[in-house]
Amino acid sequence: MEIWHPFTQHGLEEPIIEIETSDREFLITPEGGKIIDGISSWWVNTIGHRRPEIAEAIQKEAQKLHQIIFAGFTHKPALNVAEKLSKFLPENYTRIFFSDSGSTSVEVALKMAVGYHFNKGKTGRSKVVAMEHSYHGDTFGGMSSGARSVFNEPYVKMLFEVERIPCPIEGREEEVINIYKNLLQKEGDKIGAIILEPLVLGSGGMFFYKPFVIEELYKLSKEYGVIFCLDEVMTGFGRTGTMFAFNQTNIIPDIICLSKGLTGGSIPLAATVCTEEIYNAFLSKDKAKMFFHSSSYTANPVACAAACANLEIWEKTDVLADVKKINNFYQGQIERIKKLGGKNVRALGDIFAFEVQAEGNDYVSNIGVKFYEYFRKNDVLLRPLGNTVYIMPPYCITEESLAKIFDVIEGAMKEYL
């Protein structure tokens, strides 16, 4: 039996690289070759590959529990995650619901939001608002709230209706705020929730926008009783320079979605965190009003142990100082990339991105394929989003490795532009 790999067009016969082990920012092949992981293995690996503290916690917990039913039962690792995570979040967040991926954390959030209104007798408030170019996962709720694109084109007829507002890139902020305001004035009694990727739209093209937009959209949402959800799956745990992206605003969302960096990139775990108001809408003597959601591996004890070890690292060390060092290095590269032909060169926290002008500027642009092949041959893992090149490494990356990444990017730009 052959393996069918994700986001891979096997018809292009791209080589599939075997990795035997990993260390810090490196993926290591059986032959001993070292590949710099410039995208944190799809944004999950925040503090470095194969952290010994996390590995030890996984091993220790695996001697006690592998998986137990989480309906009607609990365990110490889950209780510890809730306690440790609460130290990094405002006290408004009183409830945590576990799942197993970023996409399922979004499904949970959307079901919480719509179920909140339903249990309060507002059954017509089931519409969701999301941004153009957004990405919220590959399950059907995630695809529905995400942008319609080549990612989900075959399934469009199966996706539920979502109202769209534009991405508030620089210069369009007030326009987008007004579009949302007008939408609420017309459809406010039908809209149950808005879900946003805060500050950065990831897979849609690494689009950045300002914190004040989130604040204004939040104020409007509160005025019309719309549940405000932030998808912090990618932006959480330091990616934008703060623990969570919403920390750069003056608001507290009703619901946040967390995954990727929750276990430091070790094993899958997700959490949807909400306020007591959301929880209370499901609290009843009527069993029919319970929150009907679960997965077989909800709050897996081994995954929770990994998350606890990761959160302990955050407690004991200044992880964000490493993010700041990376961003400082980025600032010295912006003019270099501009001179090479990079467009809209930008950096936020651990994220560096720019566009190159090429035919077919979208996800399946041929320039992305050419760049990816060049990077791979030079032992750097970067996966351009079409003509958008981005870097998002583990925070432990050395300046030497960062320098190599930019040298390899320069080589690709000189070769193909």
Side-chain angles (χ1 to χ4, degrees):
M1 184 179 293
E2 298 289 333
I3 296 172
W4 190 346
H5 290 265
F7 280 79
T8 300
Q9 177 47 270
H10 287 279
L12 295 175
E13 298 182 347
E14 296 175 3
I16 303 297
I17 302 166
E18 181 180 348
I19 299 300
E20 184 170 276
T21 187
S22 59
D23 183 53
R24 293 179 59 86
E25 73 265 39
F26 296 106
L27 306 176
I28 303 169
T29 68
E31 299 76 29
K34 285 188 172 183
I35 300 169
I36 300 172
D37 187 353
I39 58 168
S40 301
S41 285
W42 261 342
W43 320 345
V44 301
N45 198 288
T46 46
I47 56 176
H49 286 279
R50 206 162 50 89
R51 283 291 294 241
E53 306 97 313
I54 297 176
E56 183 180 346
I58 290 170
Q59 183 179 27
K60 186 176 180 180
E61 186 57 39
Q63 301 299 319
K64 297 180 184 179
L65 287 173
H66 283 189
Q67 175 63 24
I68 63 167
I69 183 173
F70 209 60
F73 292 84
T74 193
H75 50 72
K76 275 287 185 185
L79 294 168
N80 289 341
V81 172
E83 180 185 356
K84 289 181 181 298
L85 190 57
S86 67
K87 296 177 182 178
F88 296 96
L89 290 167
E91 60 183 13
N92 306 61
Y93 293 117
T94 58
R95 302 289 168 170
I96 179 172
F97 194 98
F98 289 103
S99 58
D100 47 20
S101 73
S103 186
T104 54
S105 74
V106 168
E107 300 282 337
V108 169
L110 295 177
K111 288 176 70 174
M112 279 181 178
V114 174
Y116 167 89
H117 293 295
F118 185 90
N119 282 356
K120 286 183 168 292
K122 300 175 183 178
T123 57
R125 300 199 70 162
S126 59
K127 277 192 176 183
V128 174
V129 177
M131 280 185 182
E132 295 172 359
H133 306 293
S134 62
Y135 175 83
H136 298 288
D138 291 323
T139 51
F140 274 85
M143 285 194 293
S144 295
S145 49
R148 301 297 186 264
S149 68
V150 68
F151 284 30
N152 50 46
E153 187 176 0
Y155 319 110
V156 166
K157 292 182 180 179
M158 303 169 70
L159 305 181
F160 58 75
E161 180 185 355
V162 171
E163 297 289 346
R164 301 282 172 195
I165 59 175
C167 177
I169 56 175
E170 188 171 1
R172 294 196 70 184
E173 294 96 341
E174 294 300 329
E175 175 192 355
V176 172
I177 292 166
N178 286 329
I179 287 173
Y180 184 50
K181 182 177 182 179
N182 292 336
L183 176 62
L184 289 173
Q185 289 172 343
K186 294 177 183 178
E187 302 281 337
D189 59 340
K190 298 176 183 177
I191 294 170
I194 181 171
I195 185 165
L196 308 171
E197 294 173 88
L199 303 185
V200 184
L201 273 64
S203 294
M206 293 296 163
F207 296 109
F208 294 0
Y209 65 98
K210 301 294 184 182
F212 83 87
V213 179
I214 297 173
E215 295 175 352
E216 293 303 314
L217 297 179
Y218 174 83
K219 289 175 187 176
L220 287 167
S221 297
K222 293 295 97 182
E223 183 180 342
Y224 286 86
V226 174
I227 301 300
F228 198 82
C229 308
L230 290 186
D231 178 352
E232 291 256 17
V233 170
M234 184 269 279
T235 56
F237 300 97
R239 287 294 180 195
T240 65
T242 49
M243 185 63 169
F244 303 106
F246 81 85
N247 293 146
Q248 298 180 43
T249 73
N250 293 307
I251 64 105
I252 299 172
D254 299 302
I255 303 173
I256 57 171
C257 305
L258 305 173
S259 187
K260 293 191 185 294
L262 180 55
T263 65
S266 56
I267 48 180
L269 184 68
T272 306
V273 182
C274 70
T275 62
E276 195 73 0
E277 182 182 1
I278 302 295
Y279 171 79
N280 283 338
F282 297 87
L283 187 64
S284 173
K285 298 294 183 183
D286 181 358
K287 197 168 184 177
K289 287 191 174 182
M290 76 166 72
F291 185 51
F292 287 96
H293 191 92
S294 181
S295 63
S296 299
Y297 287 94
T298 296
N300 176 263
V302 181
C304 286
C308 286
N310 174 56
L311 290 168
E312 283 179 8
I313 292 170
W314 278 89
E315 284 178 326
K316 295 175 181 177
T317 61
D318 188 358
V319 180
L320 292 177
D322 291 332
V323 179
K324 179 64 175 174
K325 288 177 184 177
I326 292 169
N327 192 268
N328 288 341
F329 187 92
Y330 287 164
Q331 298 305 318
Q333 303 299 313
I334 290 175
E335 287 303 316
R336 175 186 184 182
I337 297 300
K338 285 181 179 178
K339 288 177 181 177
L340 290 164
K343 309 296 181 185
N344 189 24
V345 186
R346 55 204 184 273
L348 178 66
D350 179 63
I351 307 167
F352 186 98
F354 64 96
E355 277 73 51
V356 294
Q357 190 62 37
E359 186 177 350
N361 290 338
D362 57 26
Y363 184 81
V364 293
S365 168
N366 284 336
I367 194 68
V369 176
K370 291 176 181 177
F371 271 38
Y372 173 72
E373 182 179 5
Y374 186 95
F375 299 148
R376 176 180 56 78
K377 287 181 177 178
N378 286 275
D379 294 327
V380 170
L381 171 56
L382 296 176
R383 288 178 61 96
L385 298 163
N387 68 315
T388 299
V389 179
Y390 75 92
I391 310 165
M392 199 187 300
Y395 308 151
C396 64
I397 192 169
T398 63
E399 190 169 308
E400 180 183 2
S401 291
L402 282 171
K404 179 173 179 179
I405 289 174
F406 279 93
D407 287 344
V408 171
I409 288 174
E410 178 175 337
M413 295 176 79
K414 286 181 176 178
E415 178 80 15
Y416 294 111
L417 298 185

